Amino acid sequence: MRILIVEDEPTLGAQLKSTLEHNGYAVDLSVDGEDGHFMGSTEDYDAVILDLGLPEIDGLTVLGMWRREGRTFPVLVLTARDSWSDKVAGLDAGADDYLAKPFQTEELIARLRALIRRASGNTSSELTAGDVRLDTRSGRVTLAGEPVKLTAQEYKLLSYLMHHKGKVVSRTELIEHIYDQDFDRDSNTIEVFVTRIRKKLGADVITTIRGLGYSLDDPAEAPRA
């Protein structure tokens, strides 16, 4: 899952980026509203963490611009303001959740996981496809109850496909959502990761849809474009 953080406080921004990367997310960091708006308008993200008190363009304005442009990714608003009127303003501008500073990192990550699950139509923190289970809280993957060890990139790819179970996901979409902006993206590595996952979880766990991409689904269900 690919996350955009728009936060002008250098220490907090760096800490959030490091923590989310440690939890398996691909993360881009912007430090002002103008740059953050541009990144959110031109790149695909699974969720955005947006500070309201930004230089150049304030967070509420950035959020409103994204929504008017049709950008529908979930947005978690961060702010030092904790009055009910600020919360209402953020939610009315299109925010999906609100967290006042200071906050516990564990709570932010839990809220972020929930936003991503809901945006992809999932309500449980445990994602399943046949005998494969992925716990988004612990990052644990099991096959028929037995733990399976995946590399960080294998986990990101599997997680994205399981969040979008039953849908055909193109190679380009996978690249955009499992790598951050600065990563040297090579589409050939996607096939390498898919091959490794099949070796660990079974040859049929991920289906290649020729000319379109990949799909992961329950054994009895057919993928939909």
Side-chain angles (χ1 to χ4, degrees):
M1 295 293 164
R2 189 177 176 198
I3 309 298
L4 171 63
I5 300 172
V6 190
E7 169 60 62
D8 66 315
E9 187 179 331
T11 301
L12 177 58
Q15 288 175 344
L16 288 176
K17 187 176 189 296
S18 176
T19 299
L20 290 176
E21 288 176 339
H22 181 72
N23 280 268
Y25 295 96
V27 184
D28 294 330
L29 175 62
S30 176
V31 297
D32 66 67
E34 184 175 2
D35 181 62
H37 168 253
F38 176 78
M39 293 177 70
S41 297
T42 57
E43 297 284 341
D44 287 325
Y45 293 100
D46 296 290
V48 174
I49 299 171
L50 177 68
D51 184 35
L52 292 188
L54 296 170
E56 306 299 336
I57 307 175
D58 70 87
L60 281 179
T61 300
V62 170
L63 179 54
M65 293 166 68
W66 281 337
R67 293 315 191 211
R68 288 192 296 274
E69 293 163 358
R71 308 299 280 176
T72 59
F73 41 61
V75 175
L76 173 60
V77 164
L78 299 181
T79 181
R81 304 172 236 170
D82 195 24
S83 71
W84 68 267
S85 58
D86 290 324
K87 294 180 181 179
V88 170
L91 294 171
D92 282 348
D96 298 273
D97 202 354
Y98 190 106
L99 197 56
K101 301 176 183 176
F103 53 83
Q104 295 296 319
T105 305
E106 291 80 3
E107 180 181 3
L108 180 142
I109 293 173
R111 288 175 178 267
L112 191 64
R113 284 197 302 260
L115 287 177
I116 293 172
R117 287 199 311 268
R118 290 198 295 267
S120 58
N122 296 288
T123 57
S124 173
S125 61
E126 188 174 72
L127 307 178
T128 64
D131 290 333
V132 178
R133 294 181 180 270
L134 185 151
D135 189 328
T136 61
R137 295 167 301 181
S138 65
R140 187 170 183 260
V141 176
T142 61
L143 175 65
E146 295 298 320
V148 178
K149 187 174 182 180
L150 300 179
T151 67
Q153 295 298 344
E154 290 165 3
Y155 177 85
K156 290 178 183 178
L157 191 150
L158 179 66
S159 176
Y160 190 82
L161 289 176
M162 293 192 73
H163 273 89
H164 298 83
K165 186 174 74 171
K167 298 179 181 179
V168 178
V169 180
S170 70
R171 187 177 297 189
T172 299
E173 182 177 344
L174 283 170
I175 291 170
E176 290 175 345
H177 286 267
I178 70 172
Y179 296 131
D180 61 44
Q181 190 179 45
D182 297 328
F183 197 91
D184 184 14
R185 303 173 182 181
D186 181 357
S187 63
N188 292 325
T189 61
I190 297 297
E191 183 60 40
V192 173
F193 295 144
V194 168
T195 299
R196 291 178 182 173
I197 292 170
R198 284 171 173 158
K199 288 180 179 179
K200 295 178 180 181
L201 298 178
D204 298 330
V205 67
I206 298 174
T207 302
T208 299
I209 312 298
R210 189 172 299 278
L212 295 176
Y214 303 96
S215 178
L216 183 148
D217 210 334
D218 290 316
E221 297 182 8
R224 58 187 184 275

